[in-house]
Amino acid sequence: MIVVTPLSMVKAWEKEILKWLGRARLSPLVAMGSREEIIPNIERFVQGFYRCLLISYENFRAYATKLNGHCDLLVFDEGHRLKNNNLKTFQILANFNCKKRIILTGTPLQNCLEELYACCDFINPGIFSSLNTFKKVFVNPILSGLKKNATPVDQEIARYTSIPIF
């Protein structure tokens, strides 16, 4: 498992894992500090000596190639930061080889359906085939139905289109 989180949250993740699971059940490896400190920890994780790596966004971007294919679960904390699938971080995460992906966010997606698309596409790549398809099927009907001058038919379509499907 790799947990990608803001640098300010890496130690908090370590503290919570140890609090709830204890070092005997899951001893997290923290990839922080200088390059000389990070590289040996990444090597330990890749070699399978640790099951959990806690790493910041920046360090993950820097070492993603080395980590690729060495975890079953990728957890992305503060998922609302993905914003869209054009961001470099998103592209690196999307191409990262792992079996399962989780996005955590305590912040609403701020009524931006493109952000919702980016998060959904991260956890289940290709589920909507493309952003254009997602816009055609979901975004456009929903936004049309929310307009002040929307017809009753547009409002009805928007209401049924916005029913959660996952």
Side-chain angles (χ1 to χ4, degrees), residues 7-8 11 49 51 77 89 103 109 112 117 122 131 155 158:
L7 179 61
S8 62
K11 287 293 190 179
F49 295 121
R51 296 182 324 188
D77 192 14
T89 301
I103 288 184
L109 297 174
C112 179
Y117 170 81
F122 170 72
L131 178 57
Q155 292 173 352

Side-chain angles (χ1 to χ4, degrees), residues 26-112:
L26 184 63
S27 183
L29 182 61
V30 176
M32 278 180 59
S34 68
R35 181 176 168 81
E36 292 76 24
E37 295 170 291
I38 293 171
I39 290 177
N41 283 348
I42 299 237
E43 288 295 327
R44 287 183 195 102
F45 178 78
V46 167
Q47 292 169 2
F49 295 121
Y50 286 83
R51 296 182 324 188
C52 178
L53 178 68
L54 306 175
I55 191 166
S56 69
Y57 300 142
E58 297 78 15
N59 286 331
F60 181 79
R61 281 193 304 266
Y63 299 104
T65 303
K66 181 75 174 163
L67 293 166
N68 198 2
H70 292 282
C71 82
D72 289 340
L73 174 62
L74 181 62
V75 178
F76 191 82
D77 192 14
E78 302 292 331
H80 57 278
R81 289 187 176 198
L82 286 176
K83 298 290 182 196
N84 66 63
N85 58 356
N86 293 323
L87 294 175
K88 184 177 181 180
T89 301
F90 181 90
Q91 292 169 353
I92 290 169
L93 288 166
N95 292 317
F96 195 77
N97 184 18
C98 62
K99 292 179 182 175
K100 298 175 186 159
R101 300 164 185 230
I102 295 174
I103 288 184
L104 302 174
T105 181
T107 302
L109 297 174
Q110 299 177 5
N111 299 325
C112 179

